[in-house]
């Protein structure tokens, strides 16, 4: 859908991006915030065209950004656009490594990359110096974010389900409250196609069968299994 909008509205998107891509001293101002938001939104649609000049625009916005919003917006556009953003990711990481909240976003933007191969990236990020698998914020920013990655989580071979279920069980061992919240993507198993629904249901049953499963997770998943499959 984004690609179709990008193609059909390319000239308007480009015109609006050019109009709003102005260098100005940052101010806590509604119209400025609106221009920044519109600029990056236009860029994200244009990125769907898979054209080199749009990638150049995103890289330039990242390098020339005078504020966090422009910088992170450009970086997310590059990462989600499927281009090699290793240089920009490293620069961003070096600049904000000491800021836990920004690093949460750093993990999330990569975990939500719309690619079936995102799981490889998520596994690598588990070894990042700033990731802590027992910190609720970090759990949500990486593993929780991956659960919302439609392409990777719902990969047809079920690898996303197995990985995510493993993480839910791990978290349930020391923080049932967080586990009960991040498991939410599994609760929609009955709305998936037959093959995916079977894979998700099997993982739910595996989580319920784990020795020592918390009362909280058991209740959440038990209610989910009571639902009838809706999709064919």
């Amino acid at each position: 859908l984004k690609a179709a909008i990008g193609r059909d509205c390319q000239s308007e998107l480009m015109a609006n991006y050019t109009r709003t891509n102005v260098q100005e001293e940052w101010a806590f101002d509604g119209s400025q915030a609106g221009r920044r938001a519109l600029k990056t939104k236009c860029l994200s649609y244009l990125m769907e065209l898979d054209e080199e000049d749009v990638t150049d625009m995103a890289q330039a916005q990242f390098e020339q950004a005078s504020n966090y919003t422009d910088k992170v917006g450009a970086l997310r556009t590059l990462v989600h656009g499927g281009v090699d953003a290793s240089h920009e990711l490293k620069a961003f990481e070096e600049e904000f490594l000491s800021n836990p909240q920004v690093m949460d976003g750093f993990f999330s933007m990569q975990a939500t990359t719309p690619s079936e191969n995102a799981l490889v990236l998520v596994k690598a990020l588990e070894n990042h110096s700033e990731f802590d698998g027992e910190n609720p914020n970090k759990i949500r920013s990486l593993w929780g974010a991956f659960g919302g990655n439609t392409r990777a989580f719902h990969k047809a071979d079920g690898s996303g389900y197995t990985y995510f279920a493993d993480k839910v069980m791990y978290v349930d061992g020391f923080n049932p409250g967080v586990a009960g919240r991040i498991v939410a993507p599994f609760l929609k198993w009955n709305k998936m196609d037959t093959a995916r629904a079977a894979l998700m249901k099997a993982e739910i049953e595996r989580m319920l069968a784990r020795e020592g499963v918390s009362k909280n997770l058991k209740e959440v998943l038990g209610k989910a299994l009571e639902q009838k499959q809706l999709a064919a």
Side-chain angles (χ1 to χ4, degrees):
L1 177 60
K2 284 189 72 175
I5 293 173
R7 286 192 303 271
D8 292 348
C9 303
Q10 182 175 2
S11 59
E12 292 91 342
L13 289 165
M14 188 65 77
N16 275 294
Y17 181 82
T18 302
R19 177 176 61 83
T20 53
N21 187 31
V22 294
Q23 293 296 321
E24 55 188 344
E25 185 177 351
W26 186 91
F28 188 68
D29 173 78
S31 31
Q32 258 200 32
R35 284 193 294 275
R36 289 192 291 269
L38 177 59
K39 173 174 64 176
T40 298
K41 183 62 70 175
C42 289
L43 186 63
S44 73
Y45 277 91
L46 289 168
M47 183 62 78
E48 296 294 327
L49 302 177
D50 195 25
E51 295 182 357
E52 187 175 345
D53 60 335
V54 179
T55 299
D56 292 343
M57 287 163 52
Q59 290 172 331
Q61 178 175 315
F62 178 85
E63 292 169 2
Q64 298 167 13
S66 60
N67 59 80
Y68 173 79
T69 304
D70 280 349
K71 185 176 287 288
V72 75
L75 181 60
R76 184 181 295 108
T77 299
L78 288 165
V79 171
H80 286 202
V83 301
D84 181 9
S86 54
H87 172 75
E88 289 79 12
L89 283 166
K90 183 174 179 56
F92 186 87
E93 180 183 7
E94 290 176 350
E95 182 175 355
F96 295 105
L97 192 62
S98 62
N99 189 317
Q101 289 73 35
V102 174
M103 290 305 294
D104 287 346
F106 175 81
F107 292 134
S108 293
M109 78 166 69
Q110 294 178 81
T112 53
T113 299
S115 165
E116 289 191 352
N117 296 320
L119 181 54
V120 176
L121 181 57
V122 171
K123 288 180 177 179
L125 287 169
E126 289 180 2
N127 298 315
H128 193 283
S129 62
E130 292 304 305
F131 180 73
D132 179 355
E134 296 186 1
N135 180 299
N137 289 335
K138 294 297 183 286
I139 289 169
R140 286 188 287 266
S141 68
L142 185 62
W143 296 334
F146 175 77
N149 186 329
T150 303
R151 288 189 183 178
F153 179 68
H154 292 292
K155 192 174 179 180
D157 65 2
S159 58
Y161 303 147
T162 300
Y163 170 81
F164 196 68
D166 286 344
K167 297 308 174 185
V168 171
M169 289 188 288
Y170 166 71
V171 174
D172 189 51
F174 62 88
N175 196 326
V178 173
R181 288 191 288 275
I182 68 169
V183 78
F186 274 112
L187 308 186
K188 299 178 182 179
W189 73 270
N190 62 317
K191 297 180 181 179
M192 303 305 296
D193 60 84
T194 303
R196 287 183 172 85
L199 290 169
M200 294 180 79
K201 186 176 181 181
E203 293 299 335
I204 291 174
E205 292 171 341
R206 184 167 71 93
M207 286 186 277
L208 284 170
R210 182 182 70 87
E211 184 178 354
V213 60
S214 71
K215 180 180 178 181
N216 182 64
L217 188 61
K218 191 172 184 178
E219 181 180 355
V220 171
L221 294 178
K223 287 183 179 179
L225 282 185
E226 293 173 2
Q227 306 300 314
K228 293 182 179 179
Q229 187 176 347
L230 302 177

